[in-house]
Amino acid sequence: MNRLLKVLLVFTLLTSTITMYAQKSSKTKQKSDGRDIYVGSDIIKDLLKQEKDTLFTRYYLGGFMVDSTALWREKVIYTGKQIAEDEYQLLTTSMLKNKETGELSLYIKGEKRFEKKKTKATHIINQKYLLDGLVEEVVHKGDTYVVKCVNAEGVVLNNKGCLRYSYTPFPEIKTHKFRASMQDAIYNVVTKSRGTLPNYIILSIEADVKSKRWNLALDFPDQYNLGSDMHTSLVAAIVHVLNNEKLEEYHYDQDINGNYYNRTMYVPIRFKK
């Protein structure tokens, strides 16, 4: 539970289109690993074995876990409890920090239930709190998957979700050119620059509604030399490509009332040596 990732480099690019953060970690080796940490799957096995009640907090930036003393955007409180002889409950409460005021607002509430010490949850509920009092609720129970959109009065508005990308696929085809440009730029760096390559880089690219900018967070492996010539060249290439990627309406999510929300794309880059 003390597996906090140290942020070694945080900076803001003074451009009109990007805010960027970089870090390195020994835990978030793949996007899926980072997701496991976020939902608490990395510690659930021990909690089930010990039948132990617990309460702890983690902090995140761009989807990557960071130390509480570092720059962070999201705070998640985890509460674990043995609620029956063969049943364990893990609750999560996620709050987002306002960049200007530092105030926290409720973002997501989650609940998982585990039976007979099995690490696969038998019951999952996630509620995302949106503008105008809307709540998007997703329930997994066995093979059943139910999504619904609820208003401030608790009335179910539909059974498909409040956010468009909950019921409509994100247009991945529109990002093909961007991904190809990113691949070409990194290939050019690898073939022309000197220095050690990281095993991977994970890009967290967020379309920010309020600032109309990209927020870019980079995750590097532990022990990788941030600030080396290769690292500097890779970052410069990534920033150049993203600077030339225009923010468009489809990059954001949107609810049924027309409100827009930040949306994040994760781009894992792995290097074969």
Side-chain angles (χ1 to χ4, degrees):
M1 273 134 20
N2 60 351
R3 297 167 66 183
L4 294 176
L5 311 182
K6 186 177 182 182
V7 175
L8 298 181
L9 177 63
V10 179
F11 57 99
T12 301
L13 286 173
L14 299 178
T15 71
S16 60
T17 57
I18 304 175
T19 300
M20 187 175 78
Y21 312 93
Q23 68 180 55
K24 62 182 180 180
S25 73
S26 58
K27 305 300 180 186
T28 319
K29 293 183 179 178
Q30 298 179 13
K31 179 190 168 186
S32 58
D33 292 339
R35 180 63 183 170
D36 286 345
I37 291 172
Y38 183 83
V39 299
S41 296
D42 62 314
I43 48 86
I44 194 62
K45 184 177 180 179
D46 288 339
L47 294 177
L48 294 176
K49 183 179 179 180
Q50 298 168 15
E51 299 183 347
K52 180 181 178 181
D53 292 356
T54 189
L55 175 66
F56 63 97
T57 302
R58 286 173 171 172
Y59 300 84
Y60 298 88
L61 176 67
F64 306 129
M65 188 167 70
V66 296
D67 194 280
S68 60
T69 60
L71 178 66
W72 56 270
R73 293 270 181 81
E74 185 176 2
K75 175 182 179 179
V76 183
I77 300 171
Y78 301 81
T79 306
K81 186 176 183 180
Q82 189 76 26
I83 58 175
E85 184 177 351
D86 287 325
E87 190 172 15
Y88 193 88
Q89 178 190 63
L90 182 64
L91 302 176
T92 54
T93 302
S94 166
M95 291 170 284
L96 296 180
K97 183 167 67 171
N98 184 289
K99 290 181 184 179
E100 286 76 32
T101 66
E103 294 181 355
L104 295 175
S105 60
L106 182 60
Y107 178 43
I108 296 174
K109 280 188 175 181
E111 177 187 0
K112 285 186 176 183
R113 295 197 179 190
F114 304 85
E115 296 179 356
K116 299 178 181 179
K117 293 185 171 58
K118 294 182 179 179
T119 57
K120 183 177 180 180
T122 57
H123 189 77
I124 303 172
I125 301 176
N126 282 304
Q127 296 173 317
K128 183 175 288 187
Y129 292 79
L130 307 170
L131 298 173
D132 301 334
L134 294 177
V135 178
E136 182 171 275
E137 182 176 278
V138 180
V139 178
H140 298 259
K141 190 173 183 180
D143 296 329
T144 305
Y145 179 87
V146 178
V147 183
K148 59 184 178 182
C149 183
V150 182
N151 69 10
E153 288 72 42
V155 178
V156 177
L157 302 179
N158 65 50
N159 292 305
K160 64 179 183 178
C162 302
L163 296 169
R164 64 175 166 186
Y165 291 134
S166 295
Y167 52 84
T168 303
F170 180 78
E172 294 285 352
I173 192 169
K174 293 186 177 182
T175 69
H176 286 180
K177 182 179 179 181
F178 161 70
R179 290 173 183 267
S181 298
M182 185 71 72
Q183 184 177 3
D184 290 344
I186 291 174
Y187 177 79
N188 288 335
V189 170
V190 172
T191 55
K192 296 178 181 179
S193 300
R194 294 182 179 181
T196 303
L197 280 171
N199 294 326
Y200 69 86
I201 308 172
I202 302 178
L203 313 183
S204 170
I205 304 171
E206 180 185 45
D208 192 307
V209 173
K210 189 171 183 179
S211 67
K212 301 297 188 291
R213 295 159 62 104
W214 294 109
N215 294 327
L216 173 64
L218 304 176
D219 188 54
F220 288 87
D222 188 31
Q223 306 302 322
Y224 187 67
N225 183 16
L226 299 188
S228 66
D229 290 342
M230 178 60 77
H231 167 263
T232 301
S233 298
L234 286 169
V235 170
I238 292 168
V239 169
H240 177 75
V241 173
L242 195 53
N243 252 330
N244 286 286
E245 179 70 7
K246 183 181 177 182
L247 261 171
E248 298 188 40
E249 191 271 348
Y250 76 87
H251 285 118
Y252 306 113
D253 215 337
Q254 185 181 34
D255 68 27
I256 58 174
N257 290 343
N259 300 305
Y260 285 99
Y261 300 84
N262 292 7
R263 186 179 184 279
T264 301
M265 296 185 293
Y266 290 95
V267 182
I269 301 169
R270 296 178 179 84
F271 298 95
K272 294 183 179 179
K273 299 181 181 180

